[in-house]
Coordinates of all heavy atoms in Angstrom, one line a residue:
M1 N 10.4 -30.0 6.5 CA 9.4 -29.0 6.2 C 10.1 -27.7 5.9 O 11.1 -27.3 6.5 CB 8.5 -28.8 7.4 CG 7.7 -30.0 7.7 SD 6.1 -29.3 8.0 CE 5.1 -30.7 7.7
G2 N 9.5 -27.0 5.0 CA 10.0 -25.7 4.6 C 8.9 -24.6 4.5 O 7.8 -24.9 4.8
Y3 N 9.3 -23.5 4.1 CA 8.4 -22.4 3.9 C 7.5 -22.7 2.6 O 8.1 -23.2 1.6 CB 9.1 -21.1 3.7 CG 9.7 -20.6 5.0 CD1 11.1 -20.8 5.2 CD2 9.0 -20.1 6.1 CE1 11.7 -20.4 6.4 CE2 9.6 -19.7 7.2 CZ 10.9 -19.9 7.4 OH 11.5 -19.5 8.5
T4 N 6.3 -22.3 2.6 CA 5.4 -22.5 1.5 C 4.9 -21.2 0.9 O 4.2 -21.2 -0.1 CB 4.2 -23.4 1.8 OG1 3.4 -22.7 2.9 CG2 4.6 -24.8 2.3
S5 N 5.3 -20.1 1.5 CA 4.9 -18.8 1.0 C 6.0 -17.8 1.3 O 6.8 -17.9 2.2 CB 3.6 -18.3 1.5 OG 3.7 -18.2 2.9
A6 N 6.1 -16.8 0.4 CA 7.1 -15.7 0.6 C 6.4 -14.4 0.3 O 5.8 -14.3 -0.8 CB 8.3 -15.9 -0.2
F7 N 6.5 -13.4 1.1 CA 5.9 -12.1 0.9 C 6.9 -11.0 1.1 O 7.6 -11.0 2.1 CB 4.7 -11.9 1.8 CG 3.5 -12.7 1.4 CD1 3.3 -14.0 1.8 CD2 2.5 -12.1 0.5 CE1 2.2 -14.7 1.4 CE2 1.4 -12.8 0.1 CZ 1.3 -14.1 0.5
D8 N 6.9 -10.0 0.2 CA 7.7 -8.8 0.4 C 6.8 -7.9 1.2 O 5.7 -7.6 0.8 CB 8.1 -8.2 -1.0 CG 9.2 -7.2 -0.8 OD1 9.3 -6.6 0.2 OD2 9.9 -7.0 -1.8
A9 N 7.4 -7.3 2.3 CA 6.5 -6.6 3.2 C 6.2 -5.1 2.8 O 5.2 -4.6 3.3 CB 7.3 -6.5 4.6
A10 N 6.9 -4.5 1.9 CA 6.7 -3.1 1.6 C 7.2 -2.8 0.2 O 8.4 -2.5 0.1 CB 7.2 -2.2 2.6
V11 N 6.4 -2.9 -0.8 CA 6.8 -2.6 -2.2 C 6.1 -1.3 -2.7 O 4.9 -1.3 -2.7 CB 6.5 -3.7 -3.1 CG1 6.9 -3.4 -4.6 CG2 7.3 -5.0 -2.7
P12 N 6.9 -0.3 -3.0 CA 6.2 0.9 -3.6 C 5.5 0.6 -4.9 O 6.0 -0.3 -5.6 CB 7.3 1.9 -3.8 CG 8.5 1.4 -3.1 CD 8.3 -0.1 -2.9
P13 N 4.4 1.3 -5.3 CA 3.8 0.9 -6.5 C 4.7 1.0 -7.7 O 4.5 0.2 -8.6 CB 2.7 2.0 -6.6 CG 2.4 2.4 -5.2 CD 3.7 2.3 -4.5
L14 N 5.6 1.9 -7.8 CA 6.5 2.0 -8.9 C 7.5 0.8 -9.0 O 8.0 0.6 -10.1 CB 7.3 3.3 -8.9 CG 6.5 4.6 -9.2 CD1 7.3 5.8 -9.0 CD2 5.9 4.5 -10.6
A15 N 7.7 0.1 -8.0 CA 8.6 -1.1 -8.0 C 7.8 -2.4 -8.1 O 8.4 -3.5 -8.1 CB 9.4 -1.1 -6.7
A16 N 6.5 -2.3 -8.4 CA 5.7 -3.6 -8.4 C 6.1 -4.5 -9.6 O 6.2 -5.7 -9.4 CB 4.2 -3.2 -8.5
R17 N 6.4 -3.9 -10.7 CA 6.8 -4.7 -11.9 C 8.1 -5.5 -11.6 O 8.2 -6.7 -11.9 CB 7.0 -3.8 -13.1 CG 7.3 -4.6 -14.3 CD 7.4 -3.8 -15.6 NE 6.0 -3.5 -15.9 CZ 5.7 -2.7 -16.9 NH1 6.6 -2.1 -17.6 NH2 4.5 -2.4 -17.2
H18 N 9.0 -4.8 -10.9 CA 10.3 -5.5 -10.6 C 10.0 -6.6 -9.6 O 10.6 -7.7 -9.7 CB 11.3 -4.5 -10.1 CG 12.6 -5.1 -9.7 ND1 13.5 -5.6 -10.6 CD2 13.2 -5.3 -8.5 CE1 14.5 -6.1 -10.0 NE2 14.3 -5.9 -8.7
A19 N 9.1 -6.4 -8.6 CA 8.8 -7.4 -7.6 C 8.2 -8.6 -8.3 O 8.6 -9.8 -8.0 CB 7.8 -6.8 -6.6
H20 N 7.3 -8.4 -9.3 CA 6.7 -9.5 -10.0 C 7.8 -10.3 -10.8 O 7.8 -11.5 -10.9 CB 5.6 -9.0 -10.9 CG 4.3 -8.7 -10.2 ND1 3.6 -9.7 -9.6 CD2 3.7 -7.5 -10.0 CE1 2.5 -9.1 -9.1 NE2 2.6 -7.8 -9.3
E21 N 8.8 -9.6 -11.4 CA 9.8 -10.2 -12.1 C 10.7 -11.1 -11.2 O 11.1 -12.2 -11.6 CB 10.7 -9.2 -12.8 CG 10.0 -8.5 -14.0 CD 10.9 -7.3 -14.5 OE1 11.9 -6.9 -13.9 OE2 10.5 -6.8 -15.6
E22 N 11.0 -10.6 -10.0 CA 11.7 -11.4 -9.0 C 10.9 -12.6 -8.6 O 11.5 -13.7 -8.4 CB 12.1 -10.5 -7.8 CG 13.2 -9.5 -8.1 CD 13.6 -8.7 -6.9 OE1 12.8 -8.7 -5.9 OE2 14.7 -8.1 -6.9
F23 N 9.6 -12.5 -8.4 CA 8.8 -13.6 -8.0 C 8.8 -14.7 -9.1 O 8.7 -15.9 -8.8 CB 7.4 -13.2 -7.7 CG 7.2 -12.4 -6.4 CD1 6.2 -11.5 -6.2 CD2 8.1 -12.7 -5.3 CE1 6.1 -10.9 -5.0 CE2 7.9 -12.0 -4.1 CZ 6.9 -11.1 -4.0
M24 N 8.9 -14.3 -10.4 CA 8.9 -15.3 -11.5 C 10.2 -16.2 -11.4 O 10.2 -17.3 -11.8 CB 8.9 -14.6 -12.8 CG 7.6 -13.8 -13.1 SD 6.2 -14.9 -13.1 CE 6.4 -15.8 -14.6
D25 N 11.2 -15.6 -10.7 CA 12.5 -16.4 -10.6 C 12.4 -17.3 -9.3 O 13.4 -18.0 -9.0 CB 13.7 -15.5 -10.5 CG 13.9 -14.8 -11.8 OD1 13.6 -15.3 -12.8 OD2 14.5 -13.7 -11.7
T26 N 11.3 -17.2 -8.6 CA 11.2 -18.0 -7.4 C 10.1 -19.1 -7.5 O 8.9 -18.8 -7.3 CB 10.9 -17.1 -6.2 OG1 11.8 -16.0 -6.1 CG2 10.9 -17.9 -4.9
P27 N 10.5 -20.3 -8.0 CA 9.4 -21.3 -8.2 C 8.9 -21.9 -6.9 O 9.5 -21.8 -5.9 CB 10.2 -22.3 -9.1 CG 11.6 -22.2 -8.7 CD 11.8 -20.7 -8.3
V28 N 7.9 -22.7 -7.1 CA 7.3 -23.6 -6.1 C 6.6 -23.0 -4.9 O 5.6 -23.5 -4.5 CB 8.5 -24.5 -5.5 CG1 7.9 -25.6 -4.5 CG2 9.2 -25.2 -6.6
V29 N 6.9 -21.8 -4.4 CA 6.2 -21.2 -3.3 C 5.2 -20.2 -3.7 O 5.3 -19.6 -4.8 CB 7.2 -20.6 -2.3 CG1 8.2 -21.6 -1.7 CG2 7.9 -19.4 -2.9
D30 N 4.2 -20.1 -2.9 CA 3.2 -19.0 -3.1 C 3.9 -17.7 -2.8 O 4.7 -17.6 -1.8 CB 2.0 -19.2 -2.2 CG 1.2 -20.4 -2.6 OD1 1.1 -20.7 -3.8 OD2 0.6 -21.0 -1.7
K31 N 3.6 -16.6 -3.5 CA 4.3 -15.4 -3.2 C 3.4 -14.2 -3.5 O 2.4 -14.3 -4.2 CB 5.5 -15.3 -4.1 CG 5.4 -15.6 -5.5 CD 6.6 -16.3 -6.1 CE 6.3 -17.0 -7.3 NZ 6.4 -18.4 -7.3
G32 N 3.7 -13.1 -2.9 CA 3.0 -11.8 -3.0 C 3.7 -10.7 -2.3 O 4.8 -10.9 -1.8
F33 N 3.1 -9.5 -2.4 CA 3.7 -8.4 -1.7 C 2.7 -7.4 -1.2 O 1.5 -7.4 -1.7 CB 4.7 -7.6 -2.6 CG 4.2 -7.0 -3.9 CD1 3.6 -5.8 -3.9 CD2 4.2 -7.8 -5.1 CE1 3.1 -5.2 -5.0 CE2 3.7 -7.2 -6.2 CZ 3.1 -6.0 -6.2
F34 N 3.0 -6.7 -0.2 CA 2.2 -5.6 0.3 C 2.6 -4.3 -0.4 O 3.7 -4.0 -0.4 CB 2.4 -5.5 1.8 CG 1.9 -6.7 2.7 CD1 1.7 -7.9 2.1 CD2 1.7 -6.5 4.0 CE1 1.2 -9.0 2.9 CE2 1.3 -7.6 4.8 CZ 1.0 -8.8 4.2
V35 N 1.6 -3.6 -0.8 CA 1.8 -2.3 -1.6 C 2.0 -1.2 -0.5 O 1.1 -1.0 0.3 CB 0.6 -2.0 -2.5 CG1 0.9 -0.7 -3.3 CG2 0.4 -3.2 -3.5
L36 N 3.1 -0.6 -0.6 CA 3.4 0.5 0.4 C 2.6 1.8 -0.1 O 2.8 2.3 -1.1 CB 4.9 0.8 0.3 CG 5.4 1.9 1.3 CD1 5.1 1.5 2.7 CD2 6.9 2.1 1.1
M37 N 1.7 2.2 0.8 CA 0.8 3.4 0.5 C 0.9 4.4 1.6 O 0.3 5.5 1.5 CB -0.6 2.9 0.3 CG -0.8 2.0 -0.9 SD -2.6 1.7 -1.1 CE -2.5 0.3 -2.1
G38 N 1.7 4.2 2.6 CA 1.7 5.1 3.8 C 2.3 6.5 3.5 O 2.0 7.4 4.2
N39 N 3.1 6.6 2.5 CA 3.7 7.9 2.2 C 3.2 8.5 0.9 O 3.8 9.3 0.3 CB 5.2 7.8 2.1 CG 5.7 6.7 1.1 OD1 4.8 6.0 0.6 ND2 6.9 6.7 0.8
N40 N 2.0 8.1 0.5 CA 1.4 8.5 -0.8 C 0.6 9.8 -0.5 O -0.3 9.9 0.3 CB 0.4 7.5 -1.3 CG -0.2 7.8 -2.6 OD1 -0.9 8.8 -2.7 ND2 0.0 6.9 -3.5
E41 N 1.0 10.9 -1.2 CA 0.5 12.2 -1.0 C -1.0 12.3 -1.2 O -1.7 12.9 -0.5 CB 1.2 13.2 -1.9 CG 0.8 14.7 -1.6 CD 1.3 15.2 -0.2 OE1 2.2 14.7 0.3 OE2 0.6 16.1 0.3
F42 N -1.5 11.6 -2.3 CA -2.9 11.7 -2.6 C -3.7 11.0 -1.4 O -4.8 11.5 -1.0 CB -3.2 10.9 -3.9 CG -4.7 11.0 -4.3 CD1 -5.2 12.1 -4.8 CD2 -5.5 9.9 -4.1 CE1 -6.6 12.2 -5.2 CE2 -6.8 9.9 -4.4 CZ -7.4 11.1 -5.0
I43 N -3.2 9.9 -0.9 CA -3.9 9.2 0.2 C -3.9 10.1 1.4 O -5.0 10.3 2.1 CB -3.2 7.9 0.5 CG1 -3.5 6.9 -0.6 CG2 -3.7 7.4 1.9 CD1 -2.8 5.6 -0.4
M44 N -2.8 10.8 1.7 CA -2.8 11.7 2.9 C -3.8 12.9 2.7 O -4.5 13.3 3.6 CB -1.4 12.3 3.1 CG -0.4 11.2 3.5 SD -0.9 10.5 5.1 CE 0.3 9.3 5.3
Q45 N -3.9 13.4 1.5 CA -4.8 14.5 1.2 C -6.3 14.0 1.4 O -7.1 14.8 1.9 CB -4.6 15.0 -0.2 CG -3.3 15.8 -0.4 CD -3.1 16.1 -1.9 OE1 -3.8 15.7 -2.8 NE2 -2.0 16.9 -2.1
Q46 N -6.6 12.8 0.9 CA -8.0 12.4 1.0 C -8.3 12.1 2.5 O -9.5 12.3 2.9 CB -8.2 11.1 0.2 CG -7.9 11.3 -1.3 CD -8.5 12.6 -1.8 OE1 -9.7 12.8 -1.7 NE2 -7.7 13.4 -2.4
I47 N -7.4 11.6 3.3 CA -7.6 11.4 4.7 C -7.9 12.7 5.4 O -8.8 12.9 6.2 CB -6.4 10.6 5.4 CG1 -6.3 9.2 4.9 CG2 -6.5 10.7 6.9 CD1 -5.1 8.5 5.3
A48 N -7.0 13.7 5.1 CA -7.2 15.0 5.7 C -8.5 15.7 5.3 O -9.1 16.4 6.1 CB -6.0 15.9 5.3
A49 N -9.0 15.5 4.1 CA -10.2 16.0 3.6 C -11.4 15.2 4.0 O -12.6 15.7 3.8 CB -10.2 16.2 2.1
G50 N -11.2 14.1 4.6 CA -12.3 13.2 5.0 C -13.0 12.6 3.8 O -14.2 12.2 4.0
E51 N -12.4 12.4 2.7 CA -13.0 11.8 1.5 C -12.8 10.3 1.5 O -12.0 9.8 0.8 CB -12.3 12.4 0.3 CG -12.5 13.9 0.1 CD -13.9 14.2 -0.5 OE1 -14.6 13.2 -0.9 OE2 -14.3 15.3 -0.5
R52 N -13.6 9.7 2.4 CA -13.4 8.2 2.5 C -13.7 7.4 1.2 O -13.0 6.5 0.9 CB -14.3 7.7 3.6 CG -13.8 8.1 5.0 CD -14.8 7.6 6.0 NE -14.2 7.7 7.3 CZ -13.8 6.7 8.0 NH1 -14.0 5.5 7.6 NH2 -13.3 6.8 9.2
E53 N -14.7 7.9 0.5 CA -15.1 7.1 -0.7 C -14.0 7.2 -1.8 O -13.6 6.2 -2.4 CB -16.4 7.7 -1.3 CG -17.1 6.8 -2.3 CD -17.5 5.4 -1.7 OE1 -17.6 5.3 -0.5 OE2 -17.7 4.5 -2.5
K54 N -13.5 8.4 -2.0 CA -12.4 8.6 -3.0 C -11.2 7.8 -2.5 O -10.5 7.2 -3.3 CB -11.9 10.1 -3.1 CG -12.8 10.9 -3.9 CD -12.3 12.3 -4.0 CE -13.2 13.2 -4.8 NZ -12.6 14.6 -4.8
L55 N -10.9 7.8 -1.2 CA -9.8 7.0 -0.7 C -10.0 5.5 -0.9 O -9.0 4.9 -1.4 CB -9.6 7.3 0.8 CG -8.5 6.6 1.5 CD1 -7.2 6.9 1.0 CD2 -8.6 6.9 3.0
R56 N -11.1 5.1 -0.6 CA -11.4 3.6 -0.8 C -11.3 3.2 -2.3 O -10.6 2.2 -2.6 CB -12.8 3.3 -0.4 CG -13.2 1.9 -0.3 CD -14.6 1.6 0.3 NE -15.6 2.1 -0.6 CZ -16.1 1.4 -1.7 NH1 -15.6 0.2 -1.9 NH2 -17.1 1.9 -2.4
H57 N -11.8 4.0 -3.2 CA -11.7 3.7 -4.6 C -10.2 3.8 -5.1 O -9.8 2.9 -5.9 CB -12.5 4.7 -5.5 CG -14.0 4.4 -5.4 ND1 -14.5 3.2 -5.9 CD2 -15.0 5.1 -4.8 CE1 -15.8 3.3 -5.7 NE2 -16.1 4.4 -5.0
Y58 N -9.5 4.8 -4.6 CA -8.1 4.9 -5.0 C -7.2 3.7 -4.5 O -6.4 3.1 -5.3 CB -7.5 6.2 -4.5 CG -6.0 6.4 -4.9 CD1 -5.6 6.6 -6.2 CD2 -5.0 6.2 -3.9 CE1 -4.3 6.8 -6.5 CE2 -3.7 6.4 -4.3 CZ -3.3 6.6 -5.6 OH -2.0 6.8 -5.9
V59 N -7.4 3.3 -3.3 CA -6.7 2.2 -2.7 C -7.0 0.9 -3.4 O -6.1 0.1 -3.8 CB -6.9 2.1 -1.2 CG1 -6.4 0.8 -0.6 CG2 -6.3 3.3 -0.5
A60 N -8.3 0.7 -3.7 CA -8.7 -0.5 -4.4 C -8.1 -0.5 -5.8 O -7.6 -1.6 -6.3 CB -10.2 -0.6 -4.5
W61 N -8.1 0.6 -6.5 CA -7.6 0.7 -7.9 C -6.1 0.4 -7.9 O -5.6 -0.3 -8.7 CB -7.8 2.1 -8.5 CG -7.1 2.2 -9.8 CD1 -7.4 1.8 -11.0 CD2 -5.8 2.9 -9.9 NE1 -6.5 2.1 -11.9 CE2 -5.5 2.8 -11.3 CE3 -5.0 3.6 -9.1 CZ2 -4.3 3.3 -11.8 CZ3 -3.8 4.1 -9.6 CH2 -3.5 4.0 -10.9
L62 N -5.4 1.1 -6.9 CA -3.9 0.9 -6.9 C -3.5 -0.5 -6.5 O -2.6 -1.1 -7.2 CB -3.3 1.9 -5.8 CG -1.8 2.0 -5.8 CD1 -1.3 2.4 -7.2 CD2 -1.4 3.0 -4.7
L63 N -4.2 -1.1 -5.6 CA -4.0 -2.5 -5.2 C -4.2 -3.5 -6.4 O -3.4 -4.4 -6.7 CB -4.9 -2.9 -4.1 CG -4.5 -4.2 -3.3 CD1 -3.1 -4.2 -2.8 CD2 -5.5 -4.4 -2.2
Q64 N -5.3 -3.2 -7.2 CA -5.5 -4.1 -8.4 C -4.6 -3.8 -9.5 O -4.1 -4.7 -10.2 CB -7.0 -3.8 -8.8 CG -7.5 -4.7 -9.9 CD -7.1 -4.3 -11.3 OE1 -6.9 -3.1 -11.6 NE2 -6.9 -5.2 -12.2
A65 N -4.2 -2.5 -9.7 CA -3.3 -2.1 -10.8 C -1.9 -2.7 -10.7 O -1.3 -3.1 -11.7 CB -3.2 -0.6 -10.9
V66 N -1.4 -2.8 -9.5 CA -0.1 -3.4 -9.3 C -0.1 -4.9 -8.9 O 0.9 -5.5 -8.8 CB 0.7 -2.6 -8.2 CG1 0.9 -1.1 -8.6 CG2 0.1 -2.7 -6.8
K67 N -1.3 -5.4 -8.8 CA -1.5 -6.8 -8.5 C -0.8 -7.2 -7.2 O -0.2 -8.2 -7.1 CB -1.1 -7.7 -9.6 CG -1.9 -7.5 -10.9 CD -1.4 -8.3 -12.0 CE -2.2 -8.2 -13.3 NZ -2.8 -6.9 -13.6
G68 N -1.1 -6.3 -6.2 CA -0.5 -6.6 -4.8 C -1.5 -7.5 -4.0 O -2.6 -7.7 -4.4
Y69 N -1.0 -7.9 -2.9 CA -1.8 -8.8 -2.0 C -2.5 -8.0 -1.0 O -3.6 -8.4 -0.6 CB -0.8 -9.8 -1.4 CG -1.5 -10.8 -0.5 CD1 -2.3 -11.9 -1.0 CD2 -1.5 -10.6 0.9 CE1 -2.9 -12.7 -0.1 CE2 -2.1 -11.5 1.8 CZ -2.8 -12.6 1.2 OH -3.5 -13.4 2.1
A70 N -1.9 -7.0 -0.4 CA -2.5 -6.2 0.7 C -1.9 -4.8 0.7 O -0.9 -4.5 0.0 CB -2.2 -7.0 2.0
V71 N -2.4 -4.0 1.6 CA -2.0 -2.6 1.7 C -1.0 -2.6 2.9 O -1.2 -3.1 3.9 CB -3.1 -1.7 2.0 CG1 -2.7 -0.3 2.3 CG2 -4.1 -1.7 0.8
K72 N 0.1 -1.8 2.7 CA 1.1 -1.6 3.8 C 1.0 -0.1 4.1 O 1.3 0.7 3.3 CB 2.5 -2.0 3.4 CG 3.6 -1.6 4.3 CD 3.5 -2.5 5.6 CE 4.8 -2.2 6.4 NZ 5.1 -3.3 7.3
L73 N 0.6 0.3 5.3 CA 0.6 1.6 5.8 C 1.7 1.8 6.9 O 1.7 1.0 7.8 CB -0.7 2.1 6.3 CG -1.8 2.2 5.3 CD1 -3.1 2.6 6.0 CD2 -1.5 3.3 4.3
V74 N 2.4 2.8 6.8 CA 3.4 3.2 7.8 C 3.0 4.5 8.4 O 3.0 5.5 7.7 CB 4.8 3.2 7.2 CG1 5.8 3.6 8.3 CG2 5.2 1.9 6.6
I75 N 2.7 4.6 9.7 CA 2.3 5.8 10.3 C 3.6 6.6 10.7 O 4.4 6.1 11.4 CB 1.5 5.6 11.5 CG1 0.2 4.8 11.2 CG2 1.1 6.9 12.2 CD1 -0.7 5.4 10.2
L76 N 3.8 7.7 10.1 CA 5.0 8.5 10.3 C 4.7 9.5 11.5 O 3.6 9.9 11.7 CB 5.3 9.4 9.0 CG 5.5 8.5 7.8 CD1 5.6 9.5 6.6 CD2 6.7 7.6 7.9
A77 N 5.8 9.8 12.2 CA 5.6 10.7 13.3 C 5.2 12.1 12.8 O 4.3 12.8 13.5 CB 7.0 10.9 14.0
E78 N 5.6 12.6 11.7 CA 5.2 13.8 11.1 C 5.0 13.6 9.7 O 5.7 12.9 9.0 CB 6.3 14.9 11.3 CG 6.6 15.3 12.7 CD 5.7 16.4 13.2 OE1 5.1 17.1 12.4 OE2 5.5 16.4 14.4
W79 N 3.9 14.1 9.1 CA 3.7 13.9 7.7 C 3.6 15.3 7.0 O 3.7 16.3 7.7 CB 2.5 13.0 7.3 CG 1.2 13.3 8.0 CD1 0.9 13.2 9.4 CD2 0.0 13.8 7.4 NE1 -0.4 13.5 9.6 CE2 -1.0 13.9 8.4 CE3 -0.4 14.1 6.1 CZ2 -2.3 14.3 8.2 CZ3 -1.7 14.5 5.9 CH2 -2.6 14.6 6.9
S80 N 3.5 15.4 5.7 CA 3.7 16.6 4.9 C 3.1 17.9 5.4 O 3.7 18.9 5.4 CB 3.4 16.3 3.5 OG 2.0 16.0 3.4
S81 N 1.9 17.8 6.0 CA 1.2 19.1 6.4 C 1.6 19.4 7.8 O 1.1 20.4 8.4 CB -0.3 18.9 6.3 OG -0.8 18.0 7.2
G82 N 2.4 18.7 8.5 CA 2.9 19.0 9.8 C 2.0 18.4 10.9 O 2.2 18.7 12.1
N83 N 1.0 17.6 10.6 CA 0.2 17.0 11.6 C 0.9 15.8 12.3 O 1.8 15.2 11.7 CB -1.1 16.4 11.0 CG -2.0 17.5 10.5 OD1 -2.1 18.6 11.1 ND2 -2.7 17.3 9.4
S84 N 0.6 15.6 13.5 CA 1.2 14.5 14.2 C 0.5 13.2 13.9 O -0.6 13.1 13.3 CB 1.1 14.7 15.7 OG -0.2 14.6 16.2
A85 N 1.2 12.1 14.2 CA 0.6 10.7 14.0 C -0.7 10.6 14.7 O -1.7 9.9 14.2 CB 1.6 9.7 14.4
G86 N -0.9 11.2 15.9 CA -2.1 11.1 16.6 C -3.2 11.8 15.9 O -4.4 11.3 15.8
T87 N -3.0 12.9 15.3 CA -4.0 13.6 14.5 C -4.4 12.8 13.2 O -5.5 12.7 12.9 CB -3.4 15.0 14.0 OG1 -3.0 15.7 15.2 CG2 -4.5 15.7 13.3
L88 N -3.4 12.1 12.6 CA -3.7 11.3 11.5 C -4.6 10.1 11.9 O -5.5 9.8 11.2 CB -2.3 10.7 10.9 CG -2.5 9.8 9.7 CD1 -3.2 10.5 8.5 CD2 -1.1 9.3 9.2
M89 N -4.3 9.5 13.0 CA -5.1 8.4 13.4 C -6.5 8.9 13.7 O -7.5 8.2 13.4 CB -4.5 7.7 14.7 CG -3.2 6.9 14.4 SD -3.4 5.7 13.1 CE -4.5 4.5 14.0
A90 N -6.7 10.1 14.3 CA -8.0 10.6 14.6 C -8.8 10.9 13.3 O -10.0 10.6 13.2 CB -7.9 11.9 15.4
L91 N -8.1 11.4 12.3 CA -8.7 11.6 11.0 C -9.2 10.3 10.3 O -10.2 10.2 9.7 CB -7.8 12.3 10.0 CG -7.5 13.7 10.3 CD1 -6.3 14.2 9.4 CD2 -8.7 14.6 10.1
M92 N -8.4 9.2 10.5 CA -8.7 7.9 9.9 C -9.9 7.3 10.6 O -10.6 6.5 10.0 CB -7.5 7.0 9.9 CG -6.4 7.5 9.0 SD -4.9 6.5 9.1 CE -5.5 4.9 8.6
T93 N -10.1 7.6 11.9 CA -11.2 6.9 12.6 C -12.5 7.7 12.7 O -13.4 7.3 13.4 CB -10.7 6.5 14.0 OG1 -10.3 7.7 14.7 CG2 -9.6 5.5 13.9
K94 N -12.6 8.8 12.0 CA -13.8 9.6 12.1 C -14.9 8.9 11.5 O -14.9 8.2 10.5 CB -13.6 10.9 11.3 CG -12.9 12.0 12.1 CD -12.9 13.3 11.3 CE -12.2 14.4 12.1 NZ -12.1 15.6 11.3

């Protein structure tokens, strides 16, 4: 028995084309990648502004545009506006 699927855990949107090219060289297994969005400035701005609908549309568009499998978010200890990770989590759960 062997593996039947392979996933890349964090691919930035700009590297998606290269990830797809590498997957073409890997036959037989199911494959995909998680789109790295945790350090995206637009996403952080929409979270801070409480713009859930804009955020939802942007994430859906980006995921479809790069043909990714899922979203990868990395919570940073400090992000660009100086807020802490706890503040970011509070903003996301409003």
Side-chain angles (χ1 to χ4, degrees):
M1 294 226 155
Y3 293 103
T4 60
S5 61
F7 284 86
D8 195 333
V11 175
L14 288 176
R17 181 174 288 176
H18 181 68
H20 284 293
E21 289 172 351
E22 287 182 344
F23 286 152
M24 294 299 289
D25 293 334
T26 310
V28 182
V29 298
D30 294 327
K31 47 213 164 249
F33 62 88
F34 291 18
V35 182
L36 182 60
M37 296 186 196
N39 57 348
N40 186 300
E41 186 66 25
F42 183 78
I43 289 176
M44 293 299 174
Q45 289 171 355
Q46 299 317 304
I47 291 171
E51 294 284 350
R52 287 177 167 252
E53 196 65 19
K54 282 184 184 177
L55 177 62
R56 188 175 70 81
H57 286 292
Y58 178 72
V59 168
W61 171 80
L62 190 57
L63 192 58
Q64 188 275 330
V66 301
K67 296 178 178 31
Y69 180 78
V71 174
K72 172 73 174 205
L73 290 177
V74 178
I75 302 299
L76 304 173
E78 295 274 335
W79 51 294
S80 61
S81 67
N83 291 326
S84 69
T87 304
L88 179 60
M89 291 303 292
L91 287 170
M92 292 174 64
T93 56
K94 279 187 180 176

